[in-house]
Amino acid sequence: MQAARTVYRYWITLLWLAVVVQISAAAYGAFYSADKLSSQSGPDEGRTISETVFDHGFAFHTAFGYLIFLASVVLLVVALFARLGKRNTWLAAAVPVAVAVQIVLAWISEGVHGVGILHGLNALVIFGVTGYLTGEAWRAHRASTSGAAA
């Protein structure tokens, strides 16, 4: 069980860092697309960028999101083995659910752009939950090591 908790602690930390990278990749895609749009000549009205240019800016964000989903499913499995207690296990279970919702929101946002707001807000939820679980894992580790040293 201790080995599972160690794996969990590092895995949730990596997952939280991956979420930070994912949010940063979305910002990159947005600013890359905006730059390509503003660098075109012509009047302000009616300027467009190609799907290829847009995809170039967001390709990493899209692909990495699916990897985060797989990593969040692994997180749940590791959390079950680590026996973290009811609350943290439920929160670990919420992560793959929230990431799955995130993917669905992205799909819907392609047709209903206003849903993109929920995609952004849900990213903050995922960031918060994974950050909280990361902090909890490291606090529990410090408490167990300082208790063993006393």
Side-chain angles (χ1 to χ4, degrees):
M1 185 165 66
Q2 188 58 36
R5 286 185 179 185
T6 300
V7 170
Y8 170 81
R9 185 173 66 251
Y10 284 100
W11 193 257
I12 187 61
T13 302
L14 289 173
L15 184 57
W16 177 76
L17 289 171
V19 170
V20 171
V21 169
Q22 180 69 344
I23 292 169
S24 300
Y28 171 81
F31 286 104
Y32 176 84
S33 297
D35 178 62
K36 294 302 177 189
L37 184 62
S38 67
S39 66
Q40 295 180 2
S41 61
D44 288 344
E45 299 297 321
R47 286 195 277 168
T48 61
I49 57 173
S50 70
E51 189 170 339
T52 303
V53 170
F54 181 84
D55 285 345
H56 176 79
F58 281 98
F60 177 81
H61 176 76
T62 301
F64 201 58
Y66 292 111
L67 291 176
I68 287 175
F69 174 71
L70 293 174
S72 68
V73 172
V74 171
L75 173 76
L76 175 58
V77 172
V78 174
L80 292 171
F81 280 108
R83 298 183 184 193
L84 304 170
K86 233 179 208 182
R87 187 180 90 241
N88 285 347
T89 302
W90 277 108
L91 287 171
V95 174
V97 171
V99 175
V101 167
Q102 187 72 344
I103 292 168
V104 171
L105 288 171
W107 293 340
I108 294 170
S109 296
E110 291 178 11
V112 183
H113 308 303
V115 174
I117 295 167
L118 298 176
H119 181 75
L121 292 174
N122 192 52
L124 296 176
V125 169
I126 296 166
F127 173 80
V129 172
T130 56
Y132 173 80
L133 288 172
T134 299
E136 283 290 297
W138 285 98
R139 279 188 289 280
H141 172 68
R142 281 194 301 273
S144 70
T145 57
S146 67

